[in-house]
Amino acid sequence: MTPTLTISPACCDADIAQAAELIDSRDDNHHPLDRAALAKARLLLLARLDGTLVGCGAIKAGDGEVAELGYLVVASGFRRLGIGARLTKARIDWARGQGIKLLWATVRAENQASRDNLLKAGWQFYGDYLSIRGTGNTIGWYVLPLQQGLDIQALMAGPIGNRTPVSPPG
Ligand SMILES: CC(C)(COP(=O)(O)OP(=O)(O)OC[C@H]1O[C@@H](n2cnc3c(N)ncnc32)[C@H](O)[C@@H]1OP(=O)(O)O)[C@@H](O)C(=O)NCCC(=O)NCCS
């Protein structure tokens, strides 16, 4: 039988703990997970294949009409099957339903999989900025307007803060 993928919001501490374990298992050099922040996410979605957790993705903690996508991880044996795309679409649909106007997300410049996943879902590149952690890493910022006629620059002024833009080479 074809395995069934279900995507549903975390509904208890055990779900959050499972998602945290998956995020912590990331094979790239990501910074340590702030579990308290994860627990406060506006939305945490879990993707399960026949009951086994294979992915998660969130809309991070906060309120208001601008929100950040984050914590997207698909377990390494289950990539390129469309699970990341499904988790991304489900978060966008939820945000729309909540009246959120603008979504944003950050991706390390070298993370082609994550960047292409956003671009395929209709996101726009907003700009490259130096990591606020002082690592010298370049972080790509992406936005998805959910309404027409937004002043994206004004709405992004808060999230971007005083980060240093990285100019394109040449
Ligand atoms: C990024 C990630 C979540 C993608 O999950 P996934 O389930 O493999 O993605 P999907 O199969 O749904 O792919 C959706 C699209 O993303 C892009 N993509 C995914 N993996 C890719 C890869 N290795 N290289 C290039 N593009 C990729 C493609 O555009 C793909 O569409 P396509 O398959 O039609 O070409 C997964 O690679 C992952 O967990 N990476 C480690 C954690 C991480 O980097 N999280 C994001 C932090 S910002």
Side-chain angles (χ1 to χ4, degrees):
M1 248 175 42
T2 318
T4 310
L5 183 76
T6 56
I7 293 185
S8 52
C11 61
C12 57
D13 288 349
D15 281 353
I16 299 169
Q18 266 196 311
E21 240 174 81
L22 178 63
I23 296 165
D24 269 337
S25 75
R26 263 177 73 169
D27 40 17
D28 54 338
N29 178 27
H30 72 111
H31 48 79
L33 173 66
D34 177 343
R35 289 187 179 221
L38 178 69
K40 288 191 200 131
R42 292 196 206 193
L43 173 72
L44 173 60
L45 290 179
L46 273 57
R48 291 193 172 94
L49 206 52
D50 282 347
T52 302
L53 184 71
V54 292
C56 66
I59 296 187
K60 290 190 175 181
D63 49 29
E65 295 166 315
V66 177
E68 179 186 7
L69 254 64
Y71 305 122
L72 178 66
V73 179
V74 172
S76 55
F78 298 89
R79 293 187 185 159
R80 294 318 290 263
L81 298 173
I83 298 170
R86 289 269 305 269
L87 283 163
T88 301
K89 182 180 181 310
R91 288 177 295 166
I92 295 167
D93 291 347
W94 184 88
R96 227 181 234 115
Q98 297 292 309
I100 288 169
K101 283 185 184 167
L102 180 72
L103 289 170
W104 60 276
T106 59
V107 177
R108 272 213 206 161
E110 63 274 17
N111 192 342
Q112 191 192 343
S114 187
R115 182 187 64 220
D116 287 0
N117 176 51
L118 290 178
L119 294 176
K120 201 176 165 196
W123 289 59
Q124 306 163 15
F125 175 64
Y126 184 76
D128 277 331
Y129 292 83
L130 278 182
S131 166
I132 207 165
R133 294 169 196 276
T135 53
N137 289 330
T138 295
I139 309 294
W141 286 62
Y142 294 81
V143 293
L144 181 70
L146 300 178
Q147 288 179 16
Q148 305 259 317
L150 297 178
D151 184 346
I152 295 177
Q153 224 167 336
L155 291 169
M156 287 303 291
I160 293 281
N162 61 359
R163 287 176 173 78
T164 308
V166 179
S167 314

